[in-house]
Amino acid sequence: MAAAVALTPSSPPPTASLRGCNDGCLRLSPRRPRHGAGRCRATAPTFQGGPAASYAREMERLSAKESLLLAFKDAGGFQALVSGKTTEMQRIDVNERVVELERLNPTPRPTTSPFLEGRWNFEWFGDSSPGAFAARLLFERSPTTVAHFMGLDVLIKDGYSKLSSNLKFLNTIQSKFLLTTQLSVEGPIRMKEEYIEFLIEIPKISEETLPEQLKGLIGQTAGALQQLPSPIKDAVAQGLKLPLSEAFQRLFMISYLDEEILIIRDAAGAPDVLTRLEGLQPNPIDGTADAVI
């Protein structure tokens, strides 16, 4: 059976028209089609995205995250940062990778994203960050055997944040500082933070590492605290609280957020990079559970 094939012409057939001649006769003359009339043009499809483009962008984002974490490690980690031992080359390398990751931010409205809540660990401070200034002021001139900054993390939940830092003095005395703030949404990426309360917990002492010359002094101090009236003793046991009455506040923006990394920038543009904390492990001093990465 012969197959019927339909042919579509690329241009319409020429049509005839009457044209007068000098000898008075009429002759048929083919009419030329107008330029471009009736022509079939092929147009290549243009793709705005698709699975392949999304996959390539996701792979680029994961590579940028891995590159940033490796840059933290190459710079010496958190301890090198707070002790002022990071070099200018290491800082600019980290900042370059921070900008590269911010460009691939997968969360368009991070201030209202459920990824924002949880416990986060500080991995990097900006040069003008208040946390970096306080840490360097205390630890740049103190050897680790005298003062050791064990870490800084923040818990974000229900519109509040609790910033906690763990310090160890003389490799024996461990103290914890808590700063409570209230968060309010100012826009898709901007938030306001108001400081509410600052708490210094009672230091915890490890008797195993306590020098013999200090054990007597610590015992006398503990005995004196036990003789205090119950209201004062209870207040001391809860730590030293300093109400801030929302006297201090700051604005910051979230430039990157996913399920593992949070990057914020203050009004001066200094970046703070945080990684999400998961799991619990026993504290070697008091046996309590501390969050770890």
Side-chain angles (χ1 to χ4, degrees):
M1 181 181 294
V5 179
L7 298 177
T8 302
S10 60
S11 61
T15 58
S17 62
L18 293 177
R19 182 172 60 88
C21 301
N22 293 332
D23 56 0
C25 300
L26 294 176
R27 297 178 181 177
L28 290 176
S29 176
R31 179 181 296 174
R32 297 179 179 179
R34 290 176 298 173
H35 178 72
R39 293 183 180 179
C40 298
R41 298 180 179 179
T43 303
T46 57
F47 296 95
Q48 300 296 330
S54 299
Y55 178 79
R57 182 176 176 86
E58 181 65 13
M59 290 299 100
E60 183 182 7
R61 186 176 68 88
L62 295 177
S63 177
K65 288 173 59 175
E66 184 69 20
S67 178
L68 178 59
L69 296 177
L70 289 177
F72 291 151
K73 185 177 180 180
D74 294 339
F78 186 79
Q79 295 298 328
L81 180 65
V82 298
S83 59
K85 296 179 180 180
T86 54
T87 65
E88 183 179 2
M89 181 63 68
Q90 291 170 337
R91 289 194 298 269
I92 195 64
D93 183 56
V94 169
N95 289 330
E96 181 181 359
R97 296 167 196 257
V98 167
V99 173
E100 180 65 21
L101 184 58
E102 288 174 329
R103 182 180 63 85
L104 303 169
N105 179 30
T107 310
R109 299 182 63 90
T111 55
T112 55
S113 171
F115 286 146
L116 183 59
E117 291 197 347
R119 186 176 294 276
W120 299 88
N121 180 70
F122 280 84
E123 299 285 351
W124 189 261
F125 293 115
D127 290 337
S128 59
S129 172
F133 175 78
R136 289 169 184 165
L137 181 65
L138 179 60
F139 295 102
E140 276 186 356
R141 298 172 179 82
S142 301
T144 56
T145 55
V146 177
H148 181 61
F149 201 4
M150 300 176 61
L152 183 65
D153 62 81
V154 60
L155 175 64
I156 301 176
K157 187 175 180 60
D158 298 332
Y160 289 87
S161 71
K162 290 187 177 182
L163 184 74
S164 61
S165 62
N166 296 298
L167 308 177
K168 184 186 291 185
F169 299 97
L170 300 176
N171 202 27
T172 300
I173 304 173
Q174 181 179 351
S175 183
K176 190 173 186 178
F177 300 86
L178 298 173
L179 176 63
T180 303
T181 68
Q182 184 176 5
L183 302 175
S184 57
V185 176
E186 295 282 319
I189 64 173
R190 187 174 66 183
M191 301 192 76
K192 181 171 69 173
E193 185 177 32
E194 296 177 303
Y195 299 92
I196 297 177
E197 181 183 78
F198 183 71
L199 171 66
I200 304 177
E201 291 188 352
I202 295 299
K204 300 179 177 64
I205 302 174
S206 175
E207 296 183 358
E208 297 178 357
T209 59
L210 187 65
E212 292 294 335
Q213 57 271 28
L214 294 180
K215 288 184 178 180
L217 178 61
I218 297 298
Q220 294 176 6
T221 304
L225 291 176
Q226 293 297 327
Q227 297 177 3
L228 293 175
S230 296
I232 299 179
K233 184 169 59 176
D234 294 341
V236 171
Q238 295 176 2
L240 176 62
K241 292 184 179 181
L242 178 62
L244 302 179
S245 302
E246 302 178 0
F248 304 96
Q249 65 181 25
R250 70 163 183 161
L251 293 173
F252 66 88
M253 70 174 185
I254 303 176
S255 57
Y256 182 91
L257 174 65
D258 64 12
E259 66 278 5
E260 296 175 333
I261 292 182
L262 168 64
I263 302 177
I264 64 176
R265 290 183 178 269
D266 59 13
D272 293 342
V273 184
L274 301 88
T275 54
R276 188 179 298 277
L277 292 173
E278 296 179 357
L280 296 172
Q281 74 173 7
N283 190 308
I285 289 186
D286 58 4
T288 59
D290 288 341
V292 296
I293 298 178

